[in-house]
Amino acid sequence: MSAPRIGVLALQGAFREHIRSLRRCGADAVEIRTREDLDGLSGLVLPGGESTVMGKLLTEWDMMDRLRGLIRDGLPVFGTCAGLILLCTDIIGHPGQPRIGLLDASVRRNAFGRQVDSFTTDLELSPFPAVRPLEDRPAPMRAVFIRAPLIERTGTGVEVLARVNGLPVAVRQRNILAVSFHPELTADLRLHQWVVDMAEAG
């Protein structure tokens, strides 16, 4: 069985670390820079970076509608930090910002503070259905927050997987997994493995 082809959006942001993590999970991880690169994917990662820049480039380079259609049709997608922002239906204070808008949630950009306010913490990650269940994997998960967004509202179809001070920082809605932090900066591969497992099952 060939390795699943997982794309990492590489228009801007911290995509190289995601590539490394996915390859450690056995995926054929590739950089996504054009509309044509989206063909033949089994899964996708939207990395951290500048959500405004990513959204603008996705629109200008005619990738946004194609990307939205793939996710709507069931492509497993994992968004971290800026990737989470792009996935949400509502970006508080920025109604005109281009976004994919398929995750039924409201998000506030940089809500945890500036770069100097970055922090790490241990999260208790709730088990959630996946091809390879997370129940048998060690907890907690070390999470790195850098200019992190805050999820202020989630829809009825959105499952909250982890919280910080009672606030959601990891959520899942069907084929969409999104977090406020940067799992690619740690050695914990559980969330990247979810993308690979879902891609292999699809």
Side-chain angles (χ1 to χ4, degrees):
M1 181 177 177
S2 61
R5 186 170 185 264
I6 311 293
V8 180
L9 190 67
L11 303 182
Q12 187 268 343
F15 55 88
R16 293 180 183 86
E17 293 84 355
H18 284 289
I19 293 278
R20 281 199 298 268
S21 294
L22 289 166
R23 287 176 178 167
R24 288 177 62 198
C25 293
D28 173 20
V30 296
E31 296 179 8
I32 304 300
R33 298 180 184 276
T34 69
R35 180 183 173 92
E36 291 70 30
D37 291 339
L38 294 169
D39 295 339
L41 293 182
S42 299
L44 179 69
V45 173
L46 303 175
E50 296 291 339
S51 63
T52 50
V53 174
M54 287 192 229
K56 181 180 179 182
L57 292 176
L58 284 171
T59 302
E60 290 182 354
W61 296 353
D62 196 27
M63 297 173 68
M64 185 71 84
D65 288 342
R66 171 72 171 144
L67 192 54
R68 188 181 293 118
L70 289 170
I71 298 169
R72 187 180 287 121
D73 289 343
L75 182 74
V77 61
F78 177 32
T80 65
C81 200
L84 159 69
I85 296 169
L86 284 174
L87 286 166
C88 286
T89 53
D90 178 34
I91 305 173
I92 298 169
H94 301 274
Q97 179 177 330
R99 85 286 309 268
I100 296 165
L102 294 178
L103 175 62
D104 186 9
S106 299
V107 64
R108 187 177 300 279
R109 297 181 347 192
N110 303 331
F112 282 95
R114 298 172 300 166
Q115 189 90 9
V116 295
D117 300 310
S118 302
F119 66 97
T120 61
T121 190
D122 289 332
L123 299 179
E124 295 295 333
L125 186 69
S126 298
F128 62 97
V131 177
R132 189 180 307 172
L134 291 182
E135 288 91 331
D136 61 353
R137 299 183 187 172
M141 171 175 283
R142 195 67 174 164
V144 180
F145 289 80
I146 304 172
R147 296 176 61 211
L150 171 64
I151 302 169
E152 293 198 358
R153 178 199 64 85
T154 57
T156 56
V158 178
E159 179 183 6
V160 177
L161 304 175
R163 299 176 185 269
V164 169
N165 297 328
L167 303 171
V169 294
V171 296
R172 186 174 85 96
Q173 176 185 293
R174 297 186 301 276
N175 58 307
I176 298 172
L177 177 65
V179 301
S180 297
F181 50 95
H182 290 269
E184 76 281 5
L185 298 182
T186 74
D188 195 324
L189 298 175
R190 280 177 281 179
L191 299 179
H192 291 90
Q193 189 67 57
W194 175 86
V195 185
V196 178
D197 290 347
M198 292 289 286
E200 289 178 338

